[in-house]
Amino acid sequence: MHDFFISTPSQYAIQTAHTTLLPATAFPRLAISYALIFSLLYACTWHLVNHLQNPASAKPTQVKDLSTKSEEWANRLTSTLHALTACYGFVEWLSHDLSKGLHTSDQAASDPSHAAFTHSTLRDFYIGVTLGYLLFDLGRLVLLQMIASRVIAARRGENGKIDTAAVIGSSAPAAAGAGSMYLHHSVIIVAYSLGVRYQYGTYFLALFLNNEITTPFLNARFFLSSLNLKTHPIYVINDILFAALFFLDRIIGNAYILLSMQHLVATVTERDWEGHGVPWSVGVLLPVFAWIHGGLQVWWFGLIVRMVWRKFTAPPSSSSSSSPSVTPVDPPITNSPKSRRVLGLPENNVSGRVMKKLGLLEIANDKAAEVLGLRKESPGMKRRGVPGRN
């Protein structure tokens, strides 16, 4: 059982040449080992954050929120650790391979197939580490999606409506971009598995590990926001670094990798594939998977640009003369059932902001609305057309 788990490059190098187990099983065992390692780290971090937030003393309505935050913290911390490992691995395997002469510009020019079929144990190891993380994260997404579906089904009322606010914390995978994450993980899992299995194109596949350099900055946005630092200059600086690195690394850098790969693919023939035991279907599919990966980065960068655009073009939050006739009120308007009946409010306790979002801009008692600031003019003034009131 001890020989099954692989956690270091030296162990992987030994296992690939082991005589008691087939060397071909070393890579799957490496991926499974790291999938379990990341799963254990995720679970421990979740319980640790739950303990630090002391949910035992929280009110029942707060427990779900604490659990949701703990899951997000665990996810982000695990993701950050993998990103740092992948970036370190990228530097290590690339410097190692270049020092050993496994891929140079002169060799690629004289023999293009050299870059397509080179083998590096260290390179395969770090591909396996990322493959293990993707297996863990894909399982996490599927599990959370199943939990969210059950919660939504359980909270459907007799009229078929869903209390969306009640399940928003447990439906994270259903948010915008979840579909692209499923596609990304599935494509990379298949590409890495086939690439290492047939030792084709692993040089280019491993180059994409450098994309993880942007992940810590993405996760830092969540950490800073959770610490109420969204208005701090460091939050803005982090956003700028994240967007800049994403563009330079995942757009410009990936474009260079993909174009270099495409130039190489054009020189590799079906006879080269046969000579190295690579099925033609694998030879065709791997470049397609690489282009899908690159396309997803462009899609995500478009979402980043849209986010930045909305941030800088959003109207100021301060009220002005052109503001709506209803002033949003964040706290509940009243906690008294009698007052709610007088004002004509719903029985459940709502705030002015919620009323505005739901389109409940008017309340039954006009004078009370004017006094509470929910209406800036009395209906009588509007009917009489008082100057300056429109």
Side-chain angles (χ1 to χ4, degrees), residues 44 52-53 65 95 118 250 276 304:
C44 292
L52 293 177
Q53 295 190 54
D65 295 333
S95 59
T118 54
R250 298 199 179 212
H276 290 85
I304 296 172

Side-chain angles (χ1 to χ4, degrees), residues 46 130-131 143-144 161 169 190 200 203 205 231 283 304 347 386:
W46 191 346
T130 292
L131 178 59
L143 179 61
L144 290 181
K161 294 183 179 180
V190 174
Y200 177 64
Y203 178 84
L205 293 175
T231 58
I304 296 172
E347 285 301 318
V386 178

Side-chain angles (χ1 to χ4, degrees), residues 90 93-94 103 123 127 192 201-212 249 253-254 256-258 260:
F90 167 78
W93 79 256
L94 185 60
H103 176 73
R123 182 198 311 163
I127 288 178
Y192 276 1
T202 57
Y203 178 84
F204 293 100
L205 293 175
L207 285 178
F208 288 117
L209 292 177
N210 78 91
N211 287 173
E212 293 299 324
D249 188 87
N254 282 2
Y256 175 78
I257 295 173
L258 289 170
S260 300

